[in-house]
Amino acid sequence: MIYLDYFSTTPCDPAVVDAMLPWFAEDYGNPHSVHGPGQKAAQAVEQSRQNVADLLGVEARELVFTSGATEANNLAIKGAVRHFGRMGDERRRVITVATEHKCVLESVRDLEAEGFEPVVLGVDSQGQVDAEALQNALKVPTLLVSIMAANNETGVLQDIPALSRIVRGAGALFHTDMAQMAGKLPVSLADVDLASFSAHKMYGPKGIGALYVRRRPRVRLQPLFSGGGQERAFRSGTLPTPLVVGLGKAAELAAQRLEADIQQISALRDDLWSQIKTALPDCELNGGEASRLPGALNICLPDGVRAADILERVPDVAMSTGSACSAAEITPSYVLTAMGLSAEKASRCLRLSVGRSTSKPGIDRAAALLIEAVRTCQPSRD
């Protein structure tokens, strides 16, 4: 199997697995207990918090551990907006973007039932937000804006520093989903109030993530659920020490390997696209004119070639269509249709994502299999 679906999830780095193992059975203390085993676990948790903070360039105490980016996004958006409402703030507008992850879009839309006004901005053909459209939307007093740093289907980057300055200049909080970007490119949270992260997108374990919550000026959140008040009272629940340690180790490795990974993964991604484009000149690259993550490759196949058919014909390559599939139908990617692609064209798109474990022979084999499958599926020109 040639794995080219790193945007979906990454394999746990062996060093991450080794770091986690002792905390499952040997050192099993509750990190919130005051006895020796508990304090040993607590020290490991705080070391991991520091590792993540070092990767992001923030203070360790600004990080709240969560079960992943979905929970972090929910806590950031709902928690901040509900706190404003609880304090009597009269603003009601909450802004996001049409190409955000579903958990962000649904979090914003859920707030409508509580009397808030969701606004979903469009994007251009490259998947990027128009700064002028954002400024116009902010003319109505706004509580919070959520814009992801890197798209999970196309890898397209938003200009987070510029957009966040616009938002904060209008007096609103700025949240960004950085699940895809952290550990793959350098990040700056200098102008960000809230940011979400996930371990399994950067070679860590599933089930653990973090939320950055700015201390100065202080950002306040209303918790999503009640409990013992762990994690600065923002997120109750016993921390899973093994998973937290895994996130910390993954962050440490990402910081050490960042530049080398960027060069290696970008080169392999470009090689794969070059081979496909040379053999299949009618293929198009979605978001190709914008800055993208190093491993991102979202391609539109030639007329008459459905992405689902290619997946079926190439079982030895793990990739995705960027579509939400059910037993009865395939729904075109809302990210691609927001970028202006028709439903038919979106159904011809494949998401390929290169990662740390991808090899040159793997790229060559994947390219050969894809090219052969597309040629087989292309309708006759006779």
Side-chain angles (χ1 to χ4, degrees):
M1 173 65 69
I2 303 163
Y3 189 76
L4 292 177
D5 201 19
Y6 284 85
F7 282 7
S8 173
T9 193
T10 58
C12 252
D13 191 285
V16 171
V17 176
D18 289 343
M20 288 192 295
L21 284 176
W23 301 98
F24 283 106
E26 297 172 28
D27 297 310
Y28 50 81
N30 186 320
H32 310 294
S33 297
V34 297
H35 49 59
Q39 288 307 292
K40 184 176 182 180
Q43 290 172 7
V45 165
E46 293 313 311
Q47 181 57 60
S48 293
R49 200 187 306 271
Q50 186 61 57
N51 289 350
V52 179
D54 290 343
L55 174 67
L56 304 176
V58 300
E59 296 181 49
R61 55 185 169 174
E62 293 179 301
L63 293 173
V64 174
F65 289 124
T66 67
S67 63
T70 290
E71 183 188 344
N73 286 332
N74 273 263
L75 176 57
I77 295 167
K78 295 177 181 176
V81 171
R82 286 170 178 167
H83 174 77
F84 280 126
R86 191 177 184 181
M87 294 296 103
D89 197 304
E90 295 183 356
R91 293 174 294 173
R92 286 292 177 266
R93 178 163 286 194
V94 184
I95 300 172
T96 191
V97 178
T99 52
E100 294 292 311
H101 192 280
K102 282 285 188 182
C103 64
V104 168
L105 290 169
E106 294 306 313
S107 290
V108 172
R109 287 168 179 154
D110 284 349
L111 289 168
E112 185 173 16
E114 301 175 33
F116 297 98
E117 179 198 6
V119 174
V120 180
L121 300 178
V123 294
D124 63 20
S125 62
Q126 298 303 308
Q128 294 182 309
V129 180
D130 178 59
E132 185 176 349
L134 176 60
Q135 288 175 324
N136 288 335
L138 286 165
K139 289 178 180 178
V140 174
T142 300
L143 291 168
L144 178 140
V145 176
S146 181
I147 301 175
M148 71 188 340
N151 188 266
N152 54 301
E153 290 192 25
T154 63
V156 167
L157 306 179
Q158 303 291 349
D159 189 345
I160 294 301
L163 296 173
S164 60
R165 285 194 292 270
I166 293 171
V167 171
R168 297 179 80 208
L173 289 182
F174 185 82
H175 165 254
T176 182
D177 178 350
M178 284 199 169
Q180 288 291 348
M181 187 168 175
K184 298 172 186 173
L185 285 175
V187 302
S188 172
L189 301 181
D191 296 306
V192 172
D193 298 298
L194 297 153
S196 305
F197 305 92
S198 185
H200 80 99
K201 302 295 188 182
M202 57 176 181
Y203 308 92
K206 298 172 182 64
I208 187 71
L211 175 65
Y212 163 75
V213 185
R214 177 179 290 281
R215 285 187 65 250
R216 295 180 179 174
R218 186 176 180 184
V219 175
R220 298 177 182 272
L221 305 174
Q222 182 173 318
L224 292 180
F225 42 82
S226 304
Q230 297 93 335
E231 293 300 281
R232 292 171 53 193
F234 290 145
R235 201 273 186 179
S236 294
T238 301
L239 287 175
T241 305
L243 300 183
V244 173
V245 168
L247 170 56
K249 187 63 178 179
E252 180 185 15
L253 293 173
Q256 294 170 355
R257 300 184 51 134
L258 191 61
E259 291 304 321
D261 277 354
I262 291 171
Q263 293 181 15
Q264 174 186 330
I265 292 170
S266 296
L268 289 170
R269 184 271 314 272
D270 292 344
D271 184 9
L272 177 58
W273 173 235
S274 177
Q275 291 189 51
I276 293 172
K277 184 65 174 175
T278 298
L280 304 168
D282 290 339
C283 282
E284 300 176 20
L285 183 59
N286 295 317
E289 296 177 18
S291 297
R292 290 174 292 136
L293 289 172
L297 195 60
N298 192 299
I299 63 175
C300 186
L301 302 172
D303 286 342
V305 181
R306 296 173 63 247
D309 293 336
I310 300 302
L311 292 182
E312 185 177 344
R313 287 177 177 269
V314 191
D316 291 340
V317 180
M319 50 192 169
S320 64
T321 61
S323 300
C325 299
S326 68
E329 62 180 352
I330 296 178
T331 304
S333 162
Y334 69 89
V335 170
L336 298 179
T337 55
M339 292 167 61
L341 276 69
S342 66
E344 185 279 328
K345 193 168 185 178
S347 73
R348 293 191 272 119
C349 294
L350 283 173
R351 181 182 73 169
L352 308 169
S353 41
V354 176
R356 191 182 288 171
S357 303
T358 308
S359 66
K360 169 60 174 169
I363 288 293
D364 293 343
R365 173 95 176 125
L369 290 170
L370 283 168
I371 291 165
E372 180 183 5
V374 171
R375 286 174 171 167
T376 301
C377 289
Q378 279 185 292
S380 172
R381 296 178 182 271
D382 297 336

